[in-house]
Amino acid sequence: MREEARAVRPKTTVLGARMGPNNRPVVTITFIAICVLLFVVDYVSPTLRMRLIFAPVLGQVEPYRMITTAFLHAGIVHLLFNMYALWIVGPFLEQMLGRWRYVALYLLSALGGSVAVLALAGDDVWNVATVGASGAVFGLFAAIAVVLRRTGREARQILIVIGINVVVGFVIPGISWQAHLGGLVTGAALGALFAYLPKKERTRGAIAGVALVAAILVGITVAVYA
């Protein structure tokens, strides 16, 4: 029976991700758990925030902050909104893309949000910190829109959600529209890469594409600080 099980061709999604017997969204749950844990720790010991938060003035010396800040939140409403959005779109993308591509999408979208803050923020906000998973979530929004179109499903609802949130980012003060825009562009680029790569090039092409996007984001960061 074991030999027969090994001989059975594994089921895959339309985009080439393997479908196992356990399809629980482990990565999505992990991201949510990290955000909630850091929120609780930050409430008990606010000094943690100062070690992980990102502001343009801090990123040159401690660039890791450009990603760690995506796991911090400004308040309970901010946390709940982002975690709800992550739970709505995350499991679908995790299943369709597979775990490693999903992790790359999330983290690079978070980085893209911070890079956009760095590149588009003026001198008057050079010392202003930004927190939240919004850049990563916007990246997921963009990617799921691309994936839905690629698989022939209706994408109108997610496009409306994206449009509303983009407008909100410009209308309500205190929201970093730069992070939203950076995450959106990065997520759209990676989503298109993962969705439209030829079947034979999905693995190598995805690795090369992820490396290229990461290199572009790092290059923009280095150029701005220079």
Side-chain angles (χ1 to χ4, degrees):
M1 290 180 65
R2 288 196 191 98
E3 292 298 327
E4 289 179 0
R6 291 193 189 101
V8 174
R9 192 172 183 177
K11 294 182 179 179
T12 60
T13 66
V14 177
L15 303 184
R18 288 193 176 188
M19 299 177 63
N22 180 10
N23 286 324
R24 274 189 282 183
V26 176
V27 176
T28 300
I29 293 173
T30 300
F31 284 146
I32 292 174
I34 292 173
C35 290
V36 172
L37 177 61
L38 288 180
F39 182 81
V40 173
V41 174
D42 180 43
Y43 183 79
V44 176
S45 176
T47 57
L48 176 69
R49 173 180 293 263
M50 300 309 299
R51 298 176 184 174
L52 303 179
I53 204 169
F54 170 71
V57 70
L58 299 172
Q60 186 172 16
V61 179
E62 298 174 328
Y64 66 85
R65 292 173 179 267
M66 300 180 75
I67 292 181
T68 57
T69 195
F71 294 93
L72 301 174
H73 290 83
I76 187 64
V77 175
H78 190 205
L79 174 70
L80 291 177
F81 178 83
N82 278 335
M83 295 305 98
Y84 175 72
L86 177 56
W87 181 249
I88 292 298
V89 301
F92 173 76
L93 281 173
E94 184 176 344
Q95 181 183 45
M96 291 295 293
L97 299 177
R99 289 173 181 167
W100 84 263
R101 287 187 292 179
Y102 176 66
V103 169
L105 170 66
Y106 188 91
L107 295 181
L108 285 181
S109 295
L111 178 60
S114 294
V115 171
V117 170
L118 176 66
L120 301 177
D123 294 337
D124 55 329
V125 293
W126 195 251
N127 297 313
V128 177
T130 58
V131 295
S134 300
V137 169
F138 264 75
L140 299 188
F141 282 168
I144 200 172
V146 175
V147 170
L148 288 174
R149 293 295 299 270
R150 167 67 176 81
T151 56
R153 306 185 190 190
E154 179 60 58
R156 186 181 306 171
Q157 290 184 350
I158 191 63
L159 292 175
I160 292 173
V161 170
I162 292 173
I164 291 174
N165 281 278
V166 167
V167 172
V168 168
F170 285 100
V171 172
I172 299 179
I175 296 179
S176 177
W177 62 267
Q178 297 94 337
H180 292 179
L181 179 62
L184 196 67
V185 172
T186 304
L190 288 173
L193 172 74
F194 296 151
Y196 289 99
L197 274 173
K199 188 174 182 179
K200 294 182 179 180
E201 298 296 328
R202 277 177 181 159
T203 300
R204 288 183 297 180
I207 294 173
V210 167
L212 177 61
V213 171
I216 291 172
L217 294 176
V218 171
I220 293 173
T221 302
V222 172
V224 172
Y225 280 126

